[in-house]
């Protein structure tokens, strides 16, 4: 934990204050508290002037979301920041404020956090500090200020779009399969004002920044200018953070994958969901991780396969919210061949998994939960999420009418990049006429799996561990 922050994947939230969709749900401290309890280390708050322009609201600007006060959010962060992990909480602030309100933010933040707040003492850092050196500290990251934008008009413009949100059915426990999450860009994305391009402020505006506010900013988030190579310019005198929406990252890695990876050796790259995800859905996080992105920002309130992967990755390293990136991402010798996840690589090791049996459903579920008249029909889907060459899903046979199914099946997974591989496990209850019922899931970092026979606890859709449901499995590496 003693390397610079840029050497770690960091458990990162997006619009951390939202309880539901991006357009019309409530803003609240509850999702912030829930995220921190689960070990999330990056909390995002969007700061806007309130209706009387004398206080700060946390709200998704230009939408019908109901605001929550900044001071409530700061208090919630202070109380819950270090319950799950002692390692630093990074507070990313999207600032839409006038200078007088920036001064008010500075006062609130310093009074709330006190000695816990980290000050860098300098405008620039050659390298970011380490998680170890920032233990039990709160670190503020934001961009320089921009002109205050009145959102009254955009509020009414968005009213119509809020009526068109597709709600994720509670019955659809699984969500989309991961291969479907690399979607084509939607027309909405073209029109949607990008987070990363909302900050085309003039350099002279920086002079108006309140000094008390400026000294809060420990990690400078930089605006994007020019093309991909300009964004990814590596300034040897100053480490920085930039933000890219998922579709822009996707475009960048098509032709500049190694530039993205080289950039992330010293600088922080934050990836966030595209604008058309008004239902607060998520993307495949491997797109960011396989290219070295540290802050893969997720809507933590939306459960399903992408979030299960996120939870799986951050079960690693004791669940502290920071996972060291593999060494091959950090080689910066000019003669070194930079890692590229698209390259065809030899198999490094093969993971052999045997699924023996499962138990515990009869204790955690009602007798009629799966089928009214008969015991459940369970099968297991098991596979790898990682670089494209390693990603695959397989399944066992269906065991009919049995609360304690015995599969006794073995699977082999050849891995070219085991350092980025996650083992996906889903238990389905087969339903001939409808969608399979949900019987549990887990996701485990392959790089921390130990050989041997293991009782593997399963989790519900939210990622909470069942009291009793487990699979008996064996892991071997050859």
């Amino acid at each position: 934990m003693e390397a610079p922050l840029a050497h770690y994947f960091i458990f990162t939230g997006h619009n951390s204050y939202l309880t539901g969709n991006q357009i019309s749900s409530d803003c609240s401290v509850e999702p912030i508290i829930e995220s921190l309890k689960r070990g999330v280390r990056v909390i995002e708050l969007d700061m806007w002037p309130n209706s009387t322009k004398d206080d700060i609201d946390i709200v998704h600007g230009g939408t019908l979301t109901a605001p929550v006060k900044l001071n409530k959010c700061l208090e919630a962060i202070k109380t819950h920041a270090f319950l799950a992990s002692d390692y630093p909480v990074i507070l990313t602030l999207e600032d839409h404020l006038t200078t007088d309100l920036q001064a008010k933010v500075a006062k609130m933040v310093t009074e709330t956090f006190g000695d816990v707040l980290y000050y860098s003492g300098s405008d620039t850092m050659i390298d970011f500090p380490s998680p170890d050196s920032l233990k039990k500290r709160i670190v503020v990251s934001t961009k320089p200020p921009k002109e205050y934008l009145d959102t009254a008009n955009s509020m009414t413009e968005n009213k119509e779009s809020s009526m068109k949100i597709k709600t994720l059915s509670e019955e659809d426990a699984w969500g989309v399969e991961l291969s479907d999450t690399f979607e084509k860009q939607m027309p909405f994305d073209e029109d949607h004002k990008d987070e990363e391009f909302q900050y085309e402020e003039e350099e002279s505006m920086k002079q108006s920044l309140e000094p008390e506010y400026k000294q809060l900013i420990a990690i400078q988030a930089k605006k994007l200018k020019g093309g991909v190579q300009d964004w990814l310019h590596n300034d040897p005198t100053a480490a920085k953070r930039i933000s890219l929406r998922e579709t822009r990252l996707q475009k960048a890695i098509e032709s500049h994958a190694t530039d993205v990876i080289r950039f992330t050796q010293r600088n922080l790259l934050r990836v966030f969901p595209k604008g058309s995800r008004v239902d607060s859905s998520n993307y495949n996080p491997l797109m960011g991780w396989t290219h070295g992105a540290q802050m893969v920002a997720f809507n933590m309130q939306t459960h399903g396969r992408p979030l299960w992967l996120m939870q799986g990755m951050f079960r690693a390293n004791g669940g502290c919210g920071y996972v060291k990136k593999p060494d091959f991402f950090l080689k910066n010798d000019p003669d070194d061949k930079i890692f590229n996840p698209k390259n065809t690589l030899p198999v490094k090791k093969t993971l052999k998994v045997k699924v023996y049996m499962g138990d515990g459903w009869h204790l955690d579920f009602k007798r009629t939960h799966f089928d009214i008249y008969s015991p459940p029909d369970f099968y297991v889907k098991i596979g790898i999420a990682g670089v494209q060459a390693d990603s695959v899903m397989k399944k066992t046979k269906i065991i009919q009418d049995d609360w304690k199914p015995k599969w006794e099946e073995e699977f082999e997974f050849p891995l070219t990049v085991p350092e980025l591989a996650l083992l996906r496990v889903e238990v389905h209850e087969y339903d001939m006429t409808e969608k399979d019922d949900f019987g549990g899931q887990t996701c485990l970092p392959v790089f921390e799996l130990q050989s041997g026979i293991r009782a593997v606890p399963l989790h519900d859709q939210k990622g909470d561990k069942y009291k009793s449901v487990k699979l008996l499995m064996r892991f071997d590496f050859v």
Side-chain angles (χ1 to χ4, degrees), residues 180-208:
D180 300 328
T181 57
F182 292 97
E183 299 159 42
K184 289 195 171 93
Q185 190 152 319
M186 302 284 283
F188 186 90
D189 283 310
E190 295 295 343
D191 305 325
H192 189 72
K193 200 163 188 184
D194 271 346
E195 265 179 60
E196 72 261 35
F197 286 111
Q198 286 178 6
Y199 313 103
E200 290 300 317
E201 77 281 352
E202 297 299 321
E203 289 297 313
S204 60
M205 282 185 60
K206 292 183 186 178
Q207 304 310 313
S208 68

Side-chain angles (χ1 to χ4, degrees), residues 27-42:
C27 304
S28 168
V29 298
E30 290 308 317
I32 296 171
I33 293 168
E34 177 71 13
S35 291
L36 290 168
K37 283 181 175 178
R38 289 183 181 273
V40 172
R41 296 292 85 191
V42 183

Side-chain angles (χ1 to χ4, degrees), residues 274-329:
K274 62 185 180 181
S276 58
R277 293 189 184 278
V278 290
D279 59 356
S280 296
S281 59
N282 289 305
Y283 49 99
N284 188 336
L286 268 305
M287 177 173 63
W289 293 330
T290 56
H291 292 87
Q294 298 90 347
M295 297 180 172
V296 177
F298 257 39
N299 296 308
M300 297 295 170
Q301 72 272 36
T302 305
H303 313 296
R305 288 179 172 120
L307 188 59
W308 301 342
L309 290 190
M310 178 69 64
Q311 291 168 342
M313 170 64 88
F314 290 101
R315 287 192 178 107
N317 203 21
C320 74
Y322 288 82
V323 175
K324 189 81 157 51
K325 285 159 56 168
D327 289 342
F328 55 69
F329 276 131

Side-chain angles (χ1 to χ4, degrees), residues 230-299:
D230 298 305
W231 310 340
L232 300 174
H233 172 68
N234 186 18
D235 180 353
T237 65
K240 62 185 175 186
R241 170 174 80 81
I242 66 167
S243 288
L244 292 177
R245 71 174 177 196
E246 57 173 292
T247 42
R248 206 167 286 280
L249 174 66
Q250 203 170 345
K251 202 167 183 180
I253 60 183
E254 282 171 13
S255 51
H256 296 86
T258 53
D259 291 331
V260 171
I261 289 168
R262 199 183 290 276
F263 175 82
T264 62
Q265 290 174 345
R266 284 185 54 252
N267 306 286
L268 294 173
L269 173 57
R270 174 178 166 269
V271 186
F272 62 91
K274 62 185 180 181
S276 58
R277 293 189 184 278
V278 290
D279 59 356
S280 296
S281 59
N282 289 305
Y283 49 99
N284 188 336
L286 268 305
M287 177 173 63
W289 293 330
T290 56
H291 292 87
Q294 298 90 347
M295 297 180 172
V296 177
F298 257 39
N299 296 308

Side-chain angles (χ1 to χ4, degrees), residues 60-129:
H60 195 198
T63 70
L64 298 172
T65 52
V68 62
K69 292 294 177 195
L70 171 63
N71 61 339
K72 285 189 174 180
C73 297
L74 297 179
E75 284 293 341
I77 292 166
K78 178 187 177 183
T79 304
H80 299 90
F82 305 110
L83 295 182
S85 168
D86 284 347
Y87 289 101
V89 168
I90 299 171
L91 190 52
T92 60
L93 300 175
E94 293 296 344
D95 166 13
H96 307 264
L97 301 175
T98 52
T99 51
D100 56 330
L101 287 179
Q102 286 172 352
K104 192 163 184 173
V105 170
K107 190 167 186 289
M108 277 188 197
V109 169
T110 50
E111 285 180 359
T112 304
F113 296 138
D115 293 342
V116 173
L117 192 64
Y118 171 75
Y119 296 95
S120 66
S122 167
D123 280 353
T124 58
M125 290 184 270
I126 294 174
D127 278 308
F128 292 116

